Amino acid sequence: MRLDYKSIWQKYGTLGIFILLVIILGILSPQYFLTVNNLIQVALQGAITIIIALGEFFTILIAGIDLSVGSVVALTGMITAKMMVAGVPVFWAVLIGGVLVGGILGAINGSLVNITNLHPFIITLGTQAIFRGITLIISDARPVFGFPKSFTEGLAGWLGPIPIPVLIAIAMALILNFITTKTKFGRNVYALGGNSQAAWFSGINIKLHTLMVFIISGICSGIAGVVMTARLGAAEPLAGIGFETFAIASAIIGGASFFGGKGKVSGVFVGGLIISVINNGLNILNVETYYQQVVMGALIIGAVAFDKLLATRKG
Amino acid sequence: MGLLVEMKNISKEFSGVKVLKNVNFELFEGEVHVLLGENGAGKSTLMKILTGIYEPTAGSIIINGKEYSKLSPKEAKENGISIIYQELSVIDALSIEENIFVGNLPTKKFLNLSIIDYEKLREKAKNILKEVGLNKDPRILVEELSISEKQLVEIAKALAQDAKIIIMDEPTSSLTMEETRNLFNIVNRLKKKNVGIIYISHKLKEIFEIGDRVTVLRDGEYIGTKEVKDVNEVMLINMMVGRELKSKYFDSTHTYLKKTEVIFEVKNLTRADKKVQNVSFKLYKGEILGFAGLIGAGRSELMNAIFGTAKISSGEIYLFGNRIFIDHPYAALKKGIALVPENRREMGFFPNFDIKQNISIIPFLKTSRFYGIWGLIDKNKEKRYATEQKKYLNIKCSSINQNIIELSGGNQQKVVIAKWLAANSNIIIFDEPTKGIDVGAKSEIYTIMRKLVEEGKGIIVVSSELPELLLLCDRIVVFKDGQIQAIFTSEEATEEKIMAAAALGGQRGREVL
């Protein structure tokens, strides 16, 4: 019997890293890290990353990418804030400014990919700047604040001991997990990511699926945008800068493959938690926040390189 | 004639599994020695041992009187062993001359730096190109060459390295008849220069054209070496498969049955890009209709137009007498029209899926609304589709949960066919269905096709192997320049007639014969 390291890694690798990190940090800093308060903090800090990463995961699943997630977070947050300040009821502001606008921004990404046939990297690199620019234009580069309590407490408050953003992340993970594992749409997305030519020759409507995938990514970022605005109590025009790095890192560390067609929602969820644990750990160990970027970048490269190493090594 | 290399009692194990057992192989100067065997027989492994990629577990290799227990890639190269892979390894972005001498470019001194001596390079390249019969400016980029020309560049590269032994792995698999003939001329020229050639091929016919001796491997075992003039096709097939081919469809004597019920008809079809023009044909119930033609004649282009993967500008398609409109493969799928594409690795299957997922994708698409998006995965149905097809097509696998990339080419092809059968397709288009598949699996695919038409389905086969079309088809359509040149019934059809029509057109073809 030969141990199949590859499949063990694919099944339990992400979870293993997570547990290992928790153990290491628990040993290094038992008095701070392993407190209930801190662990809840880890989950809370991870929630927004996870919500964005779940959408990012769909675009990576079709061998694409979405670099515009950070800008979508800012723009949806800003539009929602402006609507509430203008007197639109919270429910409608969140639904339209967050979910609907997020979906529309995603649809713009997806349509541009479909129309131009360019790689999503190029399209979302462009829309990332465009969405950011629009955010700055409509806000005049100034933050917007002064929201009803129902907004800040409804989206960023607590339900008993658990922060609501964490519940939102869990709910979204459950919904998206259902989509990827139980629906024909989800199966088609994996097929498209695994071999787009074969998908085309099997009758899968590639453009429709691509569009849907980017709409999902947009909606996720839109929801993250309103949750973040609620948490901060303000819509910042420069919010979400660099979030794509965290989202991509979560998805890749969570087992998604840049080559498409591989990965699981549960993995991405744990991947997001890993990112949060690392950030939290670096804070506790008094490492300056600037180093977190360095660690994130190194992690992305390391995870992809390791994935490739496993993929190419045989027998 | 001197002995170039002798491989004695070569064995090779991979983690306990014997893939080569006491294999003997020798190559003389100026000989073409064909290495024959089904996929997985051990041909590639043996050649990888000769080129120094693998170490043999036992046995020895004798070159120039020197005995090696293993070769390093460097030693193989120094001893003039060179291999031309099926997937060519030329560098598109470099010129012909740079490709030929890559890694060994002539240099001169300039301001005390070594720089490439292009004049010398060009002169050397021109000489070598003359030898391989490639009449091109050595300065042009390789990306501008056709596949067969790139292959010649590879041969030139081998010659530039002073190769004494050239291994050719399925060299004609992507070549047209004419290009193949040209390659054979070069092989003959190389023979005269005392180069020894190891020729790996599935195409039995080629062996008789080009081979001097043939060695057959089966399941890693050495079956024997024969002079080509002493054997015939049937003997070779029996040596390869080790049993008499049971399939009754393997003899070429089946008779043309008159079929009456038209189930599918194409009228005056023209593609938007004019690659197919004004094509009309009928497909009868229970019929296998073949499409013959040279590579580039437009046969695949026609099938793509029918299947909805290419745009048509005019023409009509009828299914069971009703006009249908297919603008996308999804529409074809919904109507029960299937296409098993030319290149299964690139267009046929999903490498990230297991067998059951690969098979169930099409029935799932067919039974769901809104372009196949709507609906849930039914795990029981998924399992049932796969189990039924596994049995029906005799897919050899450890279970339906096995990943498709672990299967042999023939079984992968069966899975690609299975996904269409699971969706109850009535018209099945096969584009080069047995390309790169070993003889045993080939005959199984033929049996499947026969079984399908007996059940009343209609089959269209595009194939570049004439014997395959002749033994399978009820009628054969000959294609050239995107148009139908002739249609023969199986009784009328001969290789000569088909080749004449394919090469010269219907009118000229008849005149010549």
Short mmCIF file of all heavy atoms in Angstrom, two decimals, chain B residues 237-279:
data_model
loop_
_atom_site.label_atom_id
_atom_site.label_comp_id
_atom_site.label_asym_id
_atom_site.label_seq_id
_atom_site.Cartn_x
_atom_site.Cartn_y
_atom_site.Cartn_z
N ILE B 237 -1.40 -8.40 -35.63
CA ILE B 237 -2.49 -8.12 -34.67
C ILE B 237 -2.56 -9.22 -33.63
O ILE B 237 -2.68 -8.97 -32.44
CB ILE B 237 -3.83 -7.98 -35.41
CG1 ILE B 237 -3.82 -6.68 -36.22
CG2 ILE B 237 -5.00 -7.99 -34.44
CD1 ILE B 237 -5.00 -6.52 -37.13
N ASN B 238 -2.43 -10.46 -34.09
CA ASN B 238 -2.48 -11.57 -33.14
C ASN B 238 -1.33 -11.51 -32.15
O ASN B 238 -1.48 -11.83 -30.98
CB ASN B 238 -2.50 -12.90 -33.88
CG ASN B 238 -3.85 -13.15 -34.52
OD1 ASN B 238 -4.84 -12.55 -34.12
ND2 ASN B 238 -3.88 -14.00 -35.53
N MET B 239 -0.14 -11.14 -32.65
CA MET B 239 0.99 -11.00 -31.73
C MET B 239 0.72 -9.89 -30.71
O MET B 239 1.05 -10.02 -29.53
CB MET B 239 2.27 -10.65 -32.51
CG MET B 239 2.91 -11.84 -33.22
SD MET B 239 4.26 -11.30 -34.31
CE MET B 239 5.61 -11.15 -33.12
N MET B 240 0.10 -8.79 -31.16
CA MET B 240 -0.14 -7.67 -30.26
C MET B 240 -1.17 -7.96 -29.20
O MET B 240 -1.02 -7.58 -28.05
CB MET B 240 -0.62 -6.44 -31.05
CG MET B 240 0.48 -5.70 -31.75
SD MET B 240 -0.22 -4.62 -32.99
CE MET B 240 -0.89 -3.33 -31.97
N VAL B 241 -2.27 -8.61 -29.62
CA VAL B 241 -3.35 -8.81 -28.66
C VAL B 241 -3.33 -10.20 -28.05
O VAL B 241 -3.99 -10.45 -27.06
CB VAL B 241 -4.74 -8.54 -29.29
CG1 VAL B 241 -4.85 -7.10 -29.72
CG2 VAL B 241 -5.00 -9.45 -30.45
N GLY B 242 -2.55 -11.11 -28.63
CA GLY B 242 -2.37 -12.41 -28.04
C GLY B 242 -3.60 -13.29 -28.11
O GLY B 242 -3.74 -14.25 -27.39
N ARG B 243 -4.53 -12.91 -28.94
CA ARG B 243 -5.75 -13.71 -29.09
C ARG B 243 -6.29 -13.39 -30.48
O ARG B 243 -5.99 -12.35 -31.04
CB ARG B 243 -6.78 -13.34 -28.03
CG ARG B 243 -7.13 -11.86 -28.05
CD ARG B 243 -7.97 -11.45 -26.86
NE ARG B 243 -7.56 -10.15 -26.35
CZ ARG B 243 -8.04 -8.98 -26.79
NH1 ARG B 243 -8.93 -8.94 -27.73
NH2 ARG B 243 -7.62 -7.85 -26.27
N GLU B 244 -7.10 -14.27 -30.99
CA GLU B 244 -7.75 -13.97 -32.24
C GLU B 244 -8.78 -12.89 -31.96
O GLU B 244 -9.50 -12.96 -30.98
CB GLU B 244 -8.47 -15.22 -32.77
CG GLU B 244 -7.55 -16.39 -33.03
CD GLU B 244 -6.73 -16.22 -34.29
OE1 GLU B 244 -7.27 -15.69 -35.27
OE2 GLU B 244 -5.54 -16.61 -34.28
N LEU B 245 -8.81 -11.86 -32.80
CA LEU B 245 -9.79 -10.81 -32.56
C LEU B 245 -11.18 -11.40 -32.75
O LEU B 245 -11.52 -11.89 -33.81
CB LEU B 245 -9.57 -9.66 -33.52
CG LEU B 245 -8.55 -8.66 -33.02
CD1 LEU B 245 -8.26 -7.65 -34.10
CD2 LEU B 245 -9.01 -7.98 -31.75
N LYS B 246 -11.96 -11.32 -31.69
CA LYS B 246 -13.26 -11.97 -31.73
C LYS B 246 -14.26 -11.18 -32.57
O LYS B 246 -15.17 -11.73 -33.14
CB LYS B 246 -13.79 -12.12 -30.29
CG LYS B 246 -13.35 -13.42 -29.64
CD LYS B 246 -13.83 -13.47 -28.22
CE LYS B 246 -12.95 -12.64 -27.37
NZ LYS B 246 -13.07 -12.40 -26.07
N SER B 247 -14.06 -9.86 -32.57
CA SER B 247 -15.08 -9.03 -33.19
C SER B 247 -15.34 -9.41 -34.63
O SER B 247 -14.46 -9.45 -35.46
CB SER B 247 -14.66 -7.58 -33.12
OG SER B 247 -15.52 -6.82 -33.90
N LYS B 248 -16.61 -9.67 -34.92
CA LYS B 248 -16.96 -9.99 -36.30
C LYS B 248 -16.88 -8.74 -37.16
O LYS B 248 -16.95 -8.80 -38.37
CB LYS B 248 -18.38 -10.58 -36.35
CG LYS B 248 -19.43 -9.63 -35.82
CD LYS B 248 -20.81 -10.23 -35.90
CE LYS B 248 -21.78 -9.41 -35.04
NZ LYS B 248 -23.16 -9.65 -35.28
N TYR B 249 -16.78 -7.58 -36.50
CA TYR B 249 -16.76 -6.34 -37.27
C TYR B 249 -15.35 -6.00 -37.74
O TYR B 249 -15.12 -4.98 -38.32
CB TYR B 249 -17.33 -5.21 -36.43
CG TYR B 249 -18.68 -5.56 -35.91
CD1 TYR B 249 -18.89 -5.70 -34.55
CD2 TYR B 249 -19.72 -5.84 -36.78
CE1 TYR B 249 -20.12 -6.07 -34.06
CE2 TYR B 249 -20.95 -6.21 -36.31
CZ TYR B 249 -21.15 -6.33 -34.95
OH TYR B 249 -22.37 -6.70 -34.48
N PHE B 250 -14.42 -6.86 -37.43
CA PHE B 250 -13.07 -6.52 -37.80
C PHE B 250 -12.72 -7.02 -39.20
O PHE B 250 -11.75 -6.63 -39.78
CB PHE B 250 -12.06 -7.07 -36.79
CG PHE B 250 -10.83 -6.22 -36.73
CD1 PHE B 250 -10.87 -5.02 -36.02
CD2 PHE B 250 -9.69 -6.56 -37.41
CE1 PHE B 250 -9.77 -4.20 -35.99
CE2 PHE B 250 -8.58 -5.74 -37.37
CZ PHE B 250 -8.62 -4.56 -36.66
N ASP B 251 -13.55 -7.90 -39.77
CA ASP B 251 -13.27 -8.25 -41.16
C ASP B 251 -14.00 -7.25 -42.05
O ASP B 251 -15.02 -6.67 -41.68
CB ASP B 251 -13.68 -9.69 -41.47
CG ASP B 251 -15.17 -9.86 -41.42
OD1 ASP B 251 -15.83 -9.37 -42.34
OD2 ASP B 251 -15.66 -10.49 -40.46
N SER B 252 -13.46 -7.03 -43.22
CA SER B 252 -13.96 -5.91 -44.02
C SER B 252 -15.00 -6.38 -45.05
O SER B 252 -15.11 -5.84 -46.11
CB SER B 252 -12.79 -5.24 -44.72
OG SER B 252 -12.06 -6.22 -45.41
N THR B 253 -15.74 -7.40 -44.68
CA THR B 253 -16.64 -7.96 -45.69
C THR B 253 -18.11 -7.73 -45.39
O THR B 253 -18.96 -8.43 -45.88
CB THR B 253 -16.43 -9.48 -45.79
OG1 THR B 253 -16.63 -10.03 -44.48
CG2 THR B 253 -15.06 -9.84 -46.29
N HIS B 254 -18.41 -6.75 -44.51
CA HIS B 254 -19.84 -6.65 -44.21
C HIS B 254 -20.58 -6.00 -45.37
O HIS B 254 -20.05 -5.21 -46.12
CB HIS B 254 -20.08 -5.95 -42.87
CG HIS B 254 -20.27 -4.49 -42.95
ND1 HIS B 254 -19.26 -3.59 -42.74
CD2 HIS B 254 -21.37 -3.76 -43.23
CE1 HIS B 254 -19.72 -2.39 -42.89
NE2 HIS B 254 -20.98 -2.44 -43.19
N THR B 255 -21.83 -6.41 -45.50
CA THR B 255 -22.55 -6.02 -46.71
C THR B 255 -23.44 -4.82 -46.44
O THR B 255 -23.87 -4.56 -45.33
CB THR B 255 -23.43 -7.17 -47.20
OG1 THR B 255 -24.18 -7.63 -46.08
CG2 THR B 255 -22.61 -8.29 -47.77
N TYR B 256 -23.71 -4.09 -47.51
CA TYR B 256 -24.51 -2.91 -47.41
C TYR B 256 -25.99 -3.28 -47.42
O TYR B 256 -26.49 -3.89 -48.33
CB TYR B 256 -24.20 -1.99 -48.59
CG TYR B 256 -25.12 -0.83 -48.71
CD1 TYR B 256 -25.16 0.15 -47.72
CD2 TYR B 256 -25.95 -0.69 -49.81
CE1 TYR B 256 -26.00 1.23 -47.82
CE2 TYR B 256 -26.80 0.39 -49.93
CZ TYR B 256 -26.82 1.35 -48.92
OH TYR B 256 -27.66 2.40 -49.04
N LEU B 257 -26.68 -2.95 -46.34
CA LEU B 257 -28.10 -3.23 -46.27
C LEU B 257 -28.84 -1.98 -46.70
O LEU B 257 -28.51 -0.89 -46.31
CB LEU B 257 -28.48 -3.58 -44.83
CG LEU B 257 -27.74 -4.75 -44.21
CD1 LEU B 257 -27.94 -4.76 -42.72
CD2 LEU B 257 -28.21 -6.05 -44.83
N LYS B 258 -29.83 -2.22 -47.50
CA LYS B 258 -30.59 -1.06 -47.95
C LYS B 258 -31.43 -0.53 -46.78
O LYS B 258 -32.22 -1.23 -46.18
CB LYS B 258 -31.51 -1.47 -49.11
CG LYS B 258 -31.88 -0.27 -49.93
CD LYS B 258 -31.59 -0.36 -51.39
CE LYS B 258 -31.63 0.94 -52.15
NZ LYS B 258 -30.33 1.39 -52.56
N LYS B 259 -31.20 0.73 -46.43
CA LYS B 259 -31.96 1.34 -45.34
C LYS B 259 -32.94 2.33 -45.96
O LYS B 259 -32.64 2.95 -46.98
CB LYS B 259 -31.01 2.03 -44.38
CG LYS B 259 -29.83 1.15 -43.98
CD LYS B 259 -29.90 0.74 -42.54
CE LYS B 259 -29.12 -0.50 -42.19
NZ LYS B 259 -27.69 -0.46 -42.18
N THR B 260 -34.09 2.45 -45.37
CA THR B 260 -35.12 3.25 -46.02
C THR B 260 -35.56 4.48 -45.23
O THR B 260 -35.93 5.49 -45.81
CB THR B 260 -36.36 2.40 -46.30
OG1 THR B 260 -36.70 1.74 -45.09
CG2 THR B 260 -36.11 1.40 -47.40
N GLU B 261 -35.53 4.40 -43.92
CA GLU B 261 -36.12 5.48 -43.13
C GLU B 261 -35.08 6.58 -42.86
O GLU B 261 -34.11 6.37 -42.15
CB GLU B 261 -36.62 4.90 -41.81
CG GLU B 261 -37.49 5.83 -41.02
CD GLU B 261 -37.83 5.26 -39.65
OE1 GLU B 261 -37.87 4.01 -39.51
OE2 GLU B 261 -38.03 6.05 -38.73
N VAL B 262 -35.31 7.76 -43.44
CA VAL B 262 -34.39 8.88 -43.20
C VAL B 262 -34.65 9.44 -41.82
O VAL B 262 -35.79 9.80 -41.49
CB VAL B 262 -34.60 9.99 -44.26
CG1 VAL B 262 -33.68 11.17 -43.96
CG2 VAL B 262 -34.33 9.45 -45.65
N ILE B 263 -33.62 9.51 -40.98
CA ILE B 263 -33.86 10.10 -39.65
C ILE B 263 -33.21 11.47 -39.52
O ILE B 263 -33.58 12.25 -38.66
CB ILE B 263 -33.38 9.17 -38.51
CG1 ILE B 263 -31.93 8.76 -38.68
CG2 ILE B 263 -34.28 7.96 -38.39
CD1 ILE B 263 -31.39 7.98 -37.49
N PHE B 264 -32.27 11.74 -40.41
CA PHE B 264 -31.55 13.00 -40.27
C PHE B 264 -31.15 13.47 -41.65
O PHE B 264 -30.71 12.68 -42.47
CB PHE B 264 -30.31 12.78 -39.40
CG PHE B 264 -29.52 14.02 -39.11
CD1 PHE B 264 -29.98 14.94 -38.17
CD2 PHE B 264 -28.32 14.26 -39.75
CE1 PHE B 264 -29.24 16.09 -37.90
CE2 PHE B 264 -27.59 15.40 -39.49
CZ PHE B 264 -28.05 16.31 -38.55
N GLU B 265 -31.36 14.74 -41.90
CA GLU B 265 -31.03 15.23 -43.23
C GLU B 265 -30.48 16.64 -43.17
O GLU B 265 -30.96 17.48 -42.40
CB GLU B 265 -32.29 15.21 -44.13
CG GLU B 265 -31.94 15.58 -45.55
CD GLU B 265 -33.12 15.42 -46.51
OE1 GLU B 265 -34.24 15.13 -46.05
OE2 GLU B 265 -32.90 15.62 -47.71
N VAL B 266 -29.45 16.88 -43.97
CA VAL B 266 -28.85 18.21 -44.08
C VAL B 266 -29.06 18.67 -45.51
O VAL B 266 -28.81 17.93 -46.45
CB VAL B 266 -27.34 18.15 -43.75
CG1 VAL B 266 -26.66 19.46 -44.08
CG2 VAL B 266 -27.14 17.80 -42.28
N LYS B 267 -29.56 19.91 -45.66
CA LYS B 267 -29.82 20.44 -47.00
C LYS B 267 -29.07 21.74 -47.22
O LYS B 267 -29.27 22.71 -46.47
CB LYS B 267 -31.33 20.69 -47.17
CG LYS B 267 -32.13 19.46 -47.54
CD LYS B 267 -33.57 19.85 -47.87
CE LYS B 267 -34.46 18.62 -47.96
NZ LYS B 267 -35.88 18.99 -47.91
N ASN B 268 -28.24 21.76 -48.23
CA ASN B 268 -27.56 22.98 -48.69
C ASN B 268 -26.90 23.77 -47.57
O ASN B 268 -27.00 24.98 -47.50
CB ASN B 268 -28.54 23.91 -49.42
CG ASN B 268 -29.22 23.19 -50.55
OD1 ASN B 268 -28.57 22.47 -51.31
ND2 ASN B 268 -30.53 23.32 -50.63
N LEU B 269 -26.21 23.08 -46.70
CA LEU B 269 -25.60 23.75 -45.56
C LEU B 269 -24.33 24.48 -45.97
O LEU B 269 -23.45 23.93 -46.61
CB LEU B 269 -25.27 22.72 -44.48
CG LEU B 269 -24.87 23.30 -43.14
CD1 LEU B 269 -26.10 23.65 -42.33
CD2 LEU B 269 -24.01 22.32 -42.37
N THR B 270 -24.26 25.76 -45.58
CA THR B 270 -23.06 26.57 -45.82
C THR B 270 -22.68 27.26 -44.53
O THR B 270 -23.53 27.81 -43.84
CB THR B 270 -23.31 27.61 -46.92
OG1 THR B 270 -23.64 26.93 -48.13
CG2 THR B 270 -22.08 28.47 -47.16
N ARG B 271 -21.40 27.18 -44.22
CA ARG B 271 -20.94 27.83 -43.00
C ARG B 271 -20.72 29.32 -43.23
O ARG B 271 -20.38 29.74 -44.33
CB ARG B 271 -19.62 27.20 -42.54
CG ARG B 271 -19.73 26.35 -41.31
CD ARG B 271 -18.46 25.63 -41.06
NE ARG B 271 -17.47 26.48 -40.39
CZ ARG B 271 -16.70 26.05 -39.39
NH1 ARG B 271 -16.81 24.83 -38.96
NH2 ARG B 271 -15.82 26.85 -38.86
N ALA B 272 -20.88 30.10 -42.18
CA ALA B 272 -20.70 31.55 -42.30
C ALA B 272 -19.30 31.88 -42.80
O ALA B 272 -19.10 32.84 -43.55
CB ALA B 272 -20.96 32.22 -40.96
N ASP B 273 -18.30 31.08 -42.40
CA ASP B 273 -16.94 31.36 -42.85
C ASP B 273 -16.58 30.62 -44.15
O ASP B 273 -15.43 30.59 -44.56
CB ASP B 273 -15.93 31.01 -41.76
CG ASP B 273 -16.04 29.55 -41.33
OD1 ASP B 273 -16.74 28.77 -42.02
OD2 ASP B 273 -15.44 29.17 -40.31
N LYS B 274 -17.58 30.02 -44.79
CA LYS B 274 -17.43 29.34 -46.09
C LYS B 274 -16.50 28.12 -46.06
O LYS B 274 -16.07 27.64 -47.10
CB LYS B 274 -16.92 30.30 -47.18
CG LYS B 274 -17.76 31.55 -47.36
CD LYS B 274 -19.05 31.24 -48.12
CE LYS B 274 -19.95 32.46 -48.11
NZ LYS B 274 -21.36 32.15 -48.11
N LYS B 275 -16.18 27.63 -44.88
CA LYS B 275 -15.32 26.45 -44.82
C LYS B 275 -16.08 25.21 -45.25
O LYS B 275 -15.50 24.17 -45.54
CB LYS B 275 -14.76 26.25 -43.41
CG LYS B 275 -13.60 27.18 -43.11
CD LYS B 275 -13.03 26.91 -41.74
CE LYS B 275 -11.83 27.81 -41.51
NZ LYS B 275 -11.42 27.82 -40.10
N VAL B 276 -17.41 25.30 -45.22
CA VAL B 276 -18.27 24.23 -45.70
C VAL B 276 -19.31 24.87 -46.61
O VAL B 276 -19.90 25.88 -46.24
CB VAL B 276 -18.99 23.53 -44.52
CG1 VAL B 276 -20.04 22.57 -45.03
CG2 VAL B 276 -17.99 22.82 -43.64
N GLN B 277 -19.46 24.32 -47.82
CA GLN B 277 -20.35 24.97 -48.76
C GLN B 277 -21.36 24.02 -49.37
O GLN B 277 -20.98 22.98 -49.92
CB GLN B 277 -19.54 25.64 -49.88
CG GLN B 277 -18.84 26.90 -49.40
CD GLN B 277 -17.89 27.44 -50.44
OE1 GLN B 277 -18.22 27.49 -51.61
NE2 GLN B 277 -16.71 27.82 -49.99
N ASN B 278 -22.62 24.39 -49.24
CA ASN B 278 -23.68 23.74 -49.97
C ASN B 278 -23.69 22.21 -49.81
O ASN B 278 -23.72 21.48 -50.78
CB ASN B 278 -23.52 24.10 -51.46
CG ASN B 278 -24.86 24.06 -52.17
OD1 ASN B 278 -25.90 24.14 -51.52
ND2 ASN B 278 -24.82 23.92 -53.48
N VAL B 279 -23.65 21.77 -48.59
CA VAL B 279 -23.57 20.33 -48.33
C VAL B 279 -24.97 19.76 -48.07
O VAL B 279 -25.73 20.32 -47.27
CB VAL B 279 -22.65 20.04 -47.13
CG1 VAL B 279 -22.82 18.61 -46.66
CG2 VAL B 279 -21.21 20.33 -47.49
#
